[in-house]
Amino acid sequence: MCLRACAVHSGKMVGSLDRRRGELAEKLRLVLAAHASGPGESAQAAPATTPLIRRAAKKVVAGTTGTAGSLSGELLDALLAVGNKALECGYGDELKLSLLISDAVLTQRKNSRAGWRLRARTLEAMGDEPATIAAYERYLALTEEDGFGVAPRIAGLHSAGEQQDELLRLLERGCPQASVYADGPATDIWADGVALHDAGDRAGAEPRLIGALLAMRGDGSPVTDLQVSIGQYLDLRLAHGGPVEENRQLAALYGEMRRNRQRGPVPDPTFGDVQWLTLGEFRNQIAGKSICLIANSQSVGRGSLGAEIDAYDLVVRFNSYKIDAPATGRRTDIHASIHKHGFNWDQKVTTRLVFGGLSGDWKNSLRNRLVPGAQTYVNDESLRWPLRNIGRVGNDAWPAIPTSGFNMLWLLDFLDASPKLDLIGFDFYESGAYRLKEAMRMPITSVHEYTSEKAWVMERAQSVTDTRISLR
């Protein structure tokens, strides 16, 4: 049972100096605490003869296996948090735990979008590409709005698989002797090939190295391992020259394969001639204009301020905002979004500000999620993470991850270029969330500290009503 596996894994985390494993240990603690305090959980536990961890077959399929007992919704959500944190760790034991949790969740809730997405991402990290695609497709079939960019992810994996197959076919045609080694143990054949190459016997090494790659494909080795091995082979090959055109073709296929696995195909690399916006250019864009920031809260959705909102010079909305004109207004001039979600990126706006803490992940999201023609301006890296990178406010002064709304608000306050700066519906989710239907199924994340953000706002407020906070 996965709860027992969580208990066992929690013991392994004691004394770990790895930050990610420390965070995983805290998530595990919360799961075990919820299990201990939950009604009737002990009575539903599996008998002592039940194995602690279900051992997956070497080749994972898209289905799931059962777990004993029935878990509460709160406990399942806590398990999903553990699974996502374990996936973030990226180590073998943690990936097995993440997969086990996804199995447990899907056994209890066979149509859980979060469960299928966790399963797909874990299988992808483990290198089981066919099962990854099947799990992503199942998630997509259950989803109305693809806020996580799963459709391009599937397209990228399909394309990468086709390019990998084409690359291996080219190698096999160019070296017919490799087929002699294609049925042997890949690790041993590869080691023999490397040894011959190091000894200067390139003629003997070539068929063994290629044969080992073919053997990896044949025995269903993880695509992550096969991709690394292909890269190593090409390094050896290109170091010694050879047919220029053939090498160029192989290198191009390898590059496309890696890019597509990382971010999916990009139909328009220029993103519809988008203009990249620097900090200074953004200040010029907002200077002298009245601005309102619209929260994704029920207090906005139940209101009737639409006409007043549309009367501002610039209307700023966030992440998975929902439009209901009488309540929310119609216009969106600036869409501020965390890079991890793809909600509303297809909605046409003048400026899209995409925030993210890690530069590499942020760049990948831009490549993967920007819709050509849906925006005129997109922020460059100078506006990627305002509180941290512009304000130099570190974890010691502000430990929590700043929300998209707070990053945007902090930036506007810092630039101090607007004569009117109003926040509408900013009750910090006290009234509940008001978002797109698909996003409403997502829990309000616990990584942010809304109390601190509210205190920061109220310290600077010039006037406060039930619906509006004015900072200027």
Side-chain angles (χ1 to χ4, degrees):
M1 188 174 182
C2 73
L3 288 170
R4 295 187 184 182
C6 286
V8 172
H9 208 87
S10 181
K12 297 178 182 179
M13 300 292 99
V14 175
S16 175
L17 299 179
D18 187 301
R19 175 188 60 80
R20 292 171 299 180
R21 279 182 161 165
E23 293 170 352
L24 173 59
E26 176 60 19
K27 297 294 184 185
L28 286 164
R29 186 190 67 78
L30 294 174
V31 162
L32 297 174
H35 174 55
S37 61
E41 288 292 343
S42 298
Q44 295 170 344
T49 54
T50 303
L52 296 185
I53 299 179
R54 179 190 60 79
R55 297 188 179 276
K58 180 180 179 182
K59 191 69 176 175
V60 183
V61 295
T64 61
T65 60
T67 58
S70 176
L71 305 179
S72 69
E74 181 182 356
L75 192 52
L76 285 172
D77 290 341
L79 281 170
L80 283 168
V82 169
N84 283 299
K85 186 56 67 175
L87 176 59
E88 185 180 315
C89 289
Y91 304 112
D93 286 348
E94 278 73 28
L95 291 179
K96 291 175 183 177
L97 178 64
S98 181
L99 187 61
L100 178 65
I101 287 172
S102 72
D103 281 352
V105 170
L106 291 171
T107 298
Q108 301 288 324
R109 297 176 180 172
K110 66 179 181 179
N111 290 331
S112 167
R113 287 172 297 277
W116 281 109
R117 183 167 175 266
L118 173 62
R119 182 178 179 80
R121 293 168 63 219
T122 304
L123 290 166
E124 185 174 359
M126 298 173 80
D128 190 344
E129 201 153 84
T132 297
I133 292 171
Y136 272 138
E137 287 176 340
R138 179 61 177 150
Y139 166 84
L140 207 57
L142 296 166
T143 304
E144 296 177 9
E145 294 147 355
D146 185 15
F148 293 104
V150 169
R153 195 91 202 95
I154 295 172
L157 294 176
H158 277 301
S159 296
E162 293 168 0
Q163 287 144 0
Q164 177 180 284
D165 288 343
E166 184 178 352
L167 189 155
L168 292 175
R169 282 195 298 269
L170 285 174
L171 291 177
E172 191 173 12
R173 284 202 300 267
C175 185
Q177 312 94 298
S179 61
V180 175
Y181 304 98
D183 294 327
T187 302
D188 294 343
I189 295 169
W190 179 265
D192 291 343
V194 171
L196 288 169
H197 182 276
D198 292 344
D201 184 2
R202 290 181 56 204
E206 185 79 356
R208 288 172 173 82
L209 293 172
I210 295 175
L213 297 177
L214 299 177
M216 291 179 72
R217 179 186 62 183
D219 66 16
S221 294
V223 294
T224 45
D225 294 347
L226 179 53
Q227 182 170 279
V228 169
S229 298
I230 292 173
Q232 292 171 345
Y233 165 76
L234 291 179
D235 284 342
L236 295 175
R237 179 187 179 111
L238 295 175
H240 295 285
V244 175
E245 185 56 37
E246 185 178 340
N247 285 346
R248 183 181 293 118
Q249 187 177 7
L250 290 170
L253 283 170
Y254 177 71
E256 281 301 306
M257 175 183 70
R258 285 186 61 93
R259 278 192 291 271
N260 281 324
R261 283 204 173 109
Q262 184 178 45
R263 58 159 170 76
V266 177
D268 180 0
T270 67
F271 303 114
D273 296 321
V274 70
Q275 299 179 49
W276 298 97
L277 198 65
T278 66
L279 175 62
E281 290 166 341
F282 179 68
R283 187 186 189 281
N284 293 338
Q285 191 179 90
I286 65 172
K289 297 180 179 178
S290 62
I291 301 177
C292 68
L293 292 78
I294 311 302
N296 298 338
S297 66
Q298 284 290 341
S299 61
V300 173
R302 292 195 296 259
S304 57
L305 297 177
E308 293 183 46
I309 290 170
D310 285 337
Y312 285 80
D313 294 328
L314 296 174
V315 178
V316 182
R317 302 186 196 273
F318 302 97
N319 295 309
S320 52
Y321 67 86
K322 180 179 178 180
I323 294 294
D324 176 15
T328 66
R330 299 178 184 275
R331 284 180 30 235
T332 306
D333 302 295
I334 300 173
H335 176 215
S337 177
I338 188 67
H339 77 93
K340 294 182 178 181
H341 297 169
F343 296 109
N344 286 318
W345 288 42
D346 59 341
Q347 298 301 302
K348 192 169 182 60
V349 296
T350 302
T351 300
R352 200 172 312 279
L353 297 185
V354 182
F355 299 136
L358 298 176
S359 177
D361 292 348
W362 173 79
K363 290 174 182 176
N364 287 337
S365 292
L366 288 182
R367 295 188 190 106
N368 217 12
R369 293 197 168 114
L370 276 180
V371 178
Q375 58 279 308
T376 305
Y377 301 97
V378 174
N379 60 295
D380 70 4
E381 194 146 8
S382 67
L383 288 163
R384 171 175 60 80
W385 207 225
L387 181 69
R388 304 292 195 211
N389 296 348
I390 299 172
R392 303 297 179 186
V393 179
N395 291 331
D396 53 341
W398 196 279
I401 298 175
T403 63
S404 299
F406 188 68
N407 264 308
M408 187 73 210
L409 179 57
W410 183 92
L411 177 63
L412 294 173
D413 182 72
F414 169 79
L415 292 174
D416 196 19
S418 305
K420 190 173 185 179
L421 183 57
D422 288 350
L423 287 65
I424 295 180
F426 272 71
D427 58 15
F428 303 91
Y429 290 117
E430 291 175 5
S431 64
Y434 183 76
R435 305 182 289 198
L436 290 173
K437 183 178 180 181
E438 184 65 23
M440 284 295 288
R441 300 187 177 104
M442 298 165 54
I444 296 174
T445 180
S446 60
V447 300
H448 304 304
E449 222 309 294
Y450 297 105
T451 303
S452 298
E453 294 188 2
K454 181 178 182 180
W456 187 95
V457 168
M458 299 311 292
E459 287 173 2
R460 291 159 177 77
Q462 301 297 309
S463 68
V464 179
T465 69
D466 289 343
T467 57
R468 195 184 323 249
I469 301 173
S470 297
L471 300 191
R472 297 289 187 276

